[in-house]
Amino acid sequence: MSGTALIGTDTEKAASLLRSGACVAIPTETVYGLAANACDPAAVGSIFEIKNRPFFDPLIVHIGCVDQVAQLAVSFPEKAKKLTEKFWPGPLTIILPKSELVPDIVSAGLFTVGIRMPDHDLTLKLLQSLEFPLAAPSANPFGYVSPTTAQHVADQLGNKIEYILDGGPCRVGLESTIVSFESEYPVILRLGGISMEEIEEVLGKVLVSTGDSSQPTAPGMLSSHYATRKKLLFGQLDDRITQYAGLNVGVLALSDLRGQNGIILSKKRDLNEAAQNLFASMRMMDNADYDLILAEEMPDSGLGRAINDRLRRAAH
Ligand code: TXA
Ligand code: MG
């Protein structure tokens, strides 16, 4: 379609578009998603087309009620249940063996499916009013920074979709943490809005396997992802600032710009606040007239780990 997407808060309009097989952008607490009926392969196909996303990259299925897990997955292990009891609705995606209800295009041909219940009033209301769950990747062109406001979505996909459900700026600002229950031992496949420490409080020690990969089992974990168009370098700031002294450098810092131009993610060094500001700040710096972005490495704890993961991939 052509034209400009409407931005609004009308969940009934969103529902009727989704029932007709169209894609609608939806707010969540993590990032905005580009949603379609997860049980309709043609509707899901248009998500891939709009995002220019490769078919080997599976989608997360969003639900409004925990009973839907039993329809989408053939088993729901105790440990996975414990985790969802603690963190749903919220920024947690679980990977389980999929049922026949999940079309191959959603799981990219894998035998598993990613499921999550997002923590956002408007979207929960929408999900609970629908007769089907919603497949939704982040609502950005493949490989670019994820959107955390309705305007971010409009800027990049506004001429390709009809409606953007506006739920305000995203509260968490980083995608969900993905935990796989494919084998006996749970594995964190993507660091995200729930910290590793919080997961381990429930499950005990877990493996983290988010390494660089071009494997279809963790394609969102491609080493080059979440990227700005402008060159971004990631690491300790001080030596980099000296090294690039001749250039018009923009600094993305946790709390101290070292006298440079740029953006501070959290004056009080609160890593949750830094996560909330991260993607919008990366976009602003990408659109400003810097030659180069220097992003500071965060402390390796709490959401700092997930922020570092995104910045490292953006720098690749
Ligand atoms: O917070 C989020 O998770 C956001 C919001 C919209 O819910 N969604 C999101 O979707 O980040 P997306 O498509 O950008 O990332 C989905 C990633 C895939 O790239 C892949 O790494 C992983 O989820 N994934 C999905 N299904 C999987 C499966 N069956 N096995 C392994 N990984 C899977
Ligand atoms: Mg994404």
Side-chain angles (χ1 to χ4, degrees):
M1 63 160 291
S2 62
T4 311
L6 277 176
I7 301 181
T9 57
D10 185 348
T11 53
E12 279 171 33
K13 184 180 172 71
S16 78
L17 281 165
L18 289 162
R19 288 195 186 99
S20 77
C23 293
V24 171
I26 57 167
T28 82
E29 79 283 26
T30 60
V31 301
Y32 275 71
L34 182 64
N37 178 352
C39 302
D40 176 349
V44 174
S46 47
I47 294 178
F48 285 87
E49 201 177 302
I50 291 169
K51 273 190 62 113
N52 201 10
R53 181 181 177 107
F55 284 105
F56 62 72
D57 196 354
L59 306 181
I60 294 169
V61 177
H62 296 69
I63 57 174
C65 162
V66 74
D67 297 344
Q68 288 172 284
V69 173
Q71 293 156 25
L72 298 166
V74 293
S75 71
F76 193 3
E78 264 324 300
K79 284 180 179 170
K81 240 177 234 167
K82 253 172 92 176
L83 217 53
T84 59
E85 277 161 17
K86 176 90 199 254
F87 297 115
W88 274 2
L92 167 75
T93 295
I94 53 169
I95 307 289
L96 299 177
K98 83 177 188 75
S99 76
E100 303 252 295
L101 191 69
V102 181
D104 283 340
I105 188 171
V106 170
S107 62
L110 300 171
F111 293 104
T112 53
V113 60
I115 307 174
R116 141 168 150 85
M117 190 192 297
D119 186 16
H120 192 291
D121 288 350
L122 268 190
T123 291
L124 277 176
K125 184 175 155 201
L126 173 66
L127 284 164
Q128 287 159 7
S129 76
L130 291 168
E131 305 68 38
F132 45 81
L134 293 175
S138 50
N140 51 285
F142 185 71
Y144 195 68
V145 180
S146 300
T148 53
T149 66
Q151 191 58 49
H152 291 162
V153 181
D155 290 344
Q156 291 187 307
L157 302 180
N159 60 344
K160 296 185 172 161
I161 57 178
E162 219 173 295
Y163 197 59
I164 300 169
L165 192 60
D166 188 355
C170 299
R171 175 175 59 79
V172 175
L174 290 174
E175 297 84 351
S176 59
T177 300
I178 302 180
V179 185
S180 171
F181 292 90
E182 225 178 312
S183 64
E184 195 181 335
Y185 302 100
V187 181
I188 296 181
L189 295 183
R190 178 173 74 184
L191 296 165
I194 292 177
S195 68
M196 189 180 92
E197 292 89 334
E198 289 175 286
I199 302 276
E200 291 192 330
E201 255 173 53
V202 178
L203 296 182
K205 226 50 224 116
V206 289
L207 277 167
V208 182
S209 173
T210 63
D212 290 352
S213 172
S214 51
Q215 299 289 305
T217 46
M221 307 318 295
L222 288 171
S223 35
S224 164
H225 218 85
Y226 310 101
T228 48
R229 288 176 300 265
K230 217 159 258 168
K231 193 174 171 63
L232 180 148
L233 297 174
F234 168 68
Q236 301 301 328
L237 279 184
D238 298 300
D239 29 329
R240 284 278 162 80
I241 287 173
T242 322
Q243 192 181 346
Y244 293 99
L247 290 178
N248 178 18
V249 156
V251 167
L252 187 60
L254 178 54
S255 62
D256 176 6
L257 288 175
R258 276 89 163 166
Q260 306 291 307
N261 293 318
I263 298 181
I264 283 175
L265 292 173
S266 171
K267 248 195 180 103
K268 48 182 200 260
R269 302 182 68 79
D270 172 347
L271 292 169
N272 296 332
E273 183 181 47
Q276 197 176 57
N277 291 330
L278 178 70
F279 288 149
S281 305
M282 286 169 72
R283 270 172 196 263
M284 274 191 265
M285 301 201 70
D286 210 13
N287 295 329
D289 68 347
Y290 300 117
D291 300 325
L292 180 71
I293 304 167
L294 298 183
E296 180 177 23
E297 187 168 347
M298 303 289 128
D300 201 26
S301 64
L303 295 195
R305 264 185 251 267
I307 298 175
N308 286 338
D309 171 87
R310 301 306 187 271
L311 288 172
R312 197 169 287 120
R313 290 176 206 279
H316 191 84

